[in-house]
Amino acid sequence: MKLIFAGTPEFAAQALRAIVAAGHDVALVLTQPDRPAGRGMSLQPSAVKKVALDNGIEVFQPLTLRDAEAQAKIAAIGAEVMVVAAYGLILPQVVLDMPRFGCINIHGSLLPRWRGAAPIQRALLAGDAETGVCIMQMEAGLDTGPVLLRGAFPIEASDTTATLHDRLAELGAKLAVEALGKLPLPAEQQPAEGVTYAHKIEKVEALIDWSKSAAELDRHIRAFNPFPGAQALFGGQTVKLWQATPVAGEGEIGTILAVDRGSVVVACGAGALAVSELQKAGGKRLPVQQFLAGHPLKVGDHFDLPA
């Protein structure tokens, strides 16, 4: 099948690899312009661009798809379908209508739950029991189109955004190839009930509020791993918390109840949190024993409470 692929991060790159491996004719790849990154802040290509270049596929990096020149380039391909995954640009209706089979999107949630930008983090924060991928026929609304294929799996107690991302990317790639092999597929309209929006993650959300329950804070830490990292304040300094387990315990909120080689136990609004991996600003992620060697914490110390 002759197609155009539009995507930017690693989640999308995995799908592009699978589509190329399945033998489809990827005639053009759309991806975001190169962005400054790393210590030197030099321009870096997206994960999708790297895959495209490795496979000799033409890359197009427009700032918008609303101008006539960009639209003419896409139309000239004569693609049967466009596959979109975490692209980052709005596709106007004229572009959605260009391919014979329209545009299909790989979305990392069980629609209509978690439409929008951050479905993985929102599912974790909400304590959802499962997540998955929907292959959706795109329309002008935000993730409102009918679903062509879906796959689901349980969210484990140890899952982080990083681990869920990898499992969802793998499932999304598999379903995208399956969908391409079966087009046209029957379309299942999304129900009006159960719609939720996965708003973009803001860094300010990463700050830990110790008045919440240990179960909520456990999900919080896992949801913000790897970005931007759950943040606690101690003596006015930021400390990132990377790994923790809810445990029994009670005391004044934010107070350290116990310290040993394996964890620092902190009182929460309900229960306590045994923190086992921390990172001071400018430092490395460290297991508790190594962290305590340079940053002694003791029973009775308090983490700062949000203002």
Side-chain angles (χ1 to χ4, degrees), residues 7-8 30-37 41-50 53 59-63 87:
T8 298
L30 306 179
T31 191
Q32 288 277 317
D34 296 1
R35 303 278 192 229
M41 294 303 283
S42 57
L43 289 177
Q44 300 292 326
S46 71
V48 162
K49 182 176 179 178
K50 290 176 184 174
L53 294 177
V59 175
F60 183 39
Q61 298 173 274
L63 294 171
Y87 176 33

Side-chain angles (χ1 to χ4, degrees), residues 37-298:
R39 289 191 174 183
M41 294 303 283
S42 57
L43 289 177
Q44 300 292 326
S46 71
V48 162
K49 182 176 179 178
K50 290 176 184 174
V51 174
L53 294 177
D54 286 347
N55 287 278
I57 303 167
E58 183 184 357
V59 175
F60 183 39
Q61 298 173 274
L63 294 171
T64 176
L65 295 179
R66 297 192 184 279
D67 68 70
E69 186 180 344
Q71 292 172 10
K73 185 172 183 67
I74 293 167
I77 297 296
E80 294 173 87
V81 66
M82 185 188 296
V83 180
V84 182
Y87 176 33
L89 283 185
I90 300 290
L91 274 62
Q93 191 65 49
V94 65
V95 173
L96 292 174
D97 293 341
M98 281 177 186
R100 179 157 66 100
F101 293 115
C103 300
I104 62 172
N105 179 251
I106 307 169
H107 185 75
S109 83
L110 297 174
L111 293 168
R113 188 162 176 79
W114 304 129
R115 295 173 179 171
I120 303 176
Q121 293 94 332
R122 297 301 174 195
L124 271 172
L125 286 168
D128 289 4
E130 64 174 1
T131 187
V133 171
C134 286
I135 305 296
M136 175 192 67
Q137 191 78 47
M138 294 180 72
E139 52 185 41
L142 177 66
D143 299 329
T144 56
V147 174
L148 307 179
L149 278 179
R150 67 171 67 222
F153 56 77
I155 295 176
E156 306 294 345
S158 59
D159 269 323
T160 65
T161 289
T163 62
L164 281 184
H165 168 278
D166 292 351
R167 287 159 67 197
L168 288 166
E170 184 178 352
L171 178 59
K174 174 177 168 288
L175 290 179
V177 170
E178 184 180 339
L180 290 173
K182 294 180 176 179
L183 289 176
L185 279 160
E188 171 200 332
Q189 295 297 325
Q190 292 186 37
E193 308 81 42
V195 174
T196 57
Y197 286 94
H199 298 289
K200 182 181 176 183
I201 293 293
E202 305 290 344
K203 282 189 177 180
V204 67
E205 293 182 74
L207 188 63
I208 281 181
D209 178 357
W210 293 103
S211 67
K212 292 183 177 180
S213 71
E216 285 179 282
L217 293 181
D218 166 49
R219 297 199 303 267
H220 180 104
I221 290 168
R222 292 185 288 121
F224 291 102
N225 179 355
F227 176 84
Q231 298 174 16
L233 295 175
F234 187 88
Q237 301 296 310
T238 299
V239 179
K240 289 188 177 183
L241 309 184
W242 291 108
Q243 203 163 348
T245 307
V247 294
E250 59 180 41
E252 188 179 341
I253 292 169
T255 302
I256 295 176
L257 303 177
V259 178
D260 60 33
R261 288 180 165 193
S263 66
V264 173
V265 179
V266 186
C268 306
L273 204 60
V275 182
S276 53
E277 187 178 11
L278 307 90
Q279 178 182 10
K280 194 169 182 181
K284 297 178 180 178
R285 291 171 60 159
L286 296 172
V288 158
Q289 189 173 2
Q290 292 181 34
F291 184 87
L292 293 174
H295 317 286
L297 301 173
K298 61 183 187 300

